[in-house]
Amino acid sequence: MQKIICKKLYDTEKSEIVKKVTFGSFGEADGYEETLYVTEDGSYFLYENGGESSIHPKENIKRMSKKSADEWLKNN
C-alpha cells in the first residue's frame, strides 16, 4: 500500500517491517493487524487493516514519530 502524507510517500513495499501484530484469526470480522514500518530515511509509519467489525475496518497508513513508534513497540 502507498499513501502520501504531508507530501511524503509512505510505501509498504519499499520499507522495512519492524514488527507486525495480529489480533484474532484471519477472516474474523473483528480481527485486525498492525504493522510498524521504517523507511530508508528513518521515518516510521503504522499500516492498519482489519475486518469490517474491527477497530481498523479499512486499510490505512498513519505516520509516527520515533517516540510514538517506540511506545507502540513497548506496548505490543
Side-chain angles (χ1 to χ4, degrees):
M1 177 182 187
Q2 295 179 339
K3 185 174 183 180
I4 296 174
I5 304 171
C6 296
K7 299 182 182 180
K8 178 173 174 60
L9 176 65
Y10 294 87
D11 186 345
T12 57
E13 294 292 319
K14 296 183 179 178
S15 301
E16 181 181 339
I17 293 175
V18 177
K19 185 174 183 180
K20 179 177 182 174
V21 292
T22 56
F23 301 88
S25 298
F26 180 76
E28 288 182 355
D30 60 347
Y32 63 94
E33 68 181 24
E34 296 178 339
T35 308
L36 181 64
Y37 286 86
V38 63
T39 64
E40 242 180 50
D41 70 358
S43 298
Y44 289 88
F45 66 94
L46 190 66
Y47 168 80
E48 307 165 329
N49 193 20
E52 59 191 35
S53 300
S54 74
I55 63 170
H56 303 303
K58 294 185 180 180
E59 191 176 37
N60 192 33
I61 288 178
K62 291 186 342 187
R63 68 183 178 149
M64 299 181 82
S65 66
K66 170 77 167 120
K67 182 178 178 182
S68 294
D70 289 341
E71 187 68 26
W72 185 89
L73 283 168
K74 186 173 107 177
N75 293 319
N76 289 287

